[in-house]
Amino acid sequence: MLRTIPELNQFMQENFPQGVDFGSLEEVGDGWVLMRLSVADSHLRPGGTVSGPTMMGMADVAIWTALQTKIGPSPLTVTSNLNINFLAKPQPVDMLARARVLRVGKRSGVGECWIYSGSEELMVAHVTANYSIPSR
């Protein structure tokens, strides 16, 4: 299993290097991760809010990475469904994504993610996602 930040970073670098565009790992545990995204101008919509695609990408990478701590390494695991509920307008500050695995089966996994703006006091989105896990 991949359970440390260095292990997961190496796995990401080798298999999904563009994933770092959606944040960096801050904490990792068995079935969960905390990621931080330093918001740049490229993440913003007019009016200074963080875009929905940025938050969806961050959540997808966070849940996929959390899943790797339970099943990994499995780079061909893919998202089969993602649902996001936007709860509040995010500020143009660092974003946090706290993701956890809810269920893992032989061929699928389910996770959820909370996206925060600035600190874990302002939740701006809640995400659930399903993943297809390839047979080994």
Side-chain angles (χ1 to χ4, degrees), residues 100-119:
R100 71 177 178 140
V101 174
L102 298 175
R103 178 193 168 279
V104 177
K106 289 183 181 183
R107 300 296 308 266
S108 67
V110 179
E112 72 180 326
C113 182
W114 300 268
I115 306 254
Y116 300 94
S117 182
S119 71

Side-chain angles (χ1 to χ4, degrees), residues 8-53:
L8 285 163
N9 282 337
Q10 180 177 349
F11 173 74
M12 291 282 283
Q13 184 61 40
E14 293 171 359
N15 296 284
F16 187 41
Q18 62 274 36
V20 299
D21 295 339
F22 295 98
S24 59
L25 292 169
E26 293 216 329
E27 297 176 18
V28 173
D30 183 15
W32 65 271
V33 301
L34 176 67
M35 293 181 68
R36 177 180 301 273
L37 175 67
S38 295
V39 174
D41 287 342
S42 61
H43 299 122
L44 300 179
R45 290 262 194 242
T49 187
V50 178
S51 72

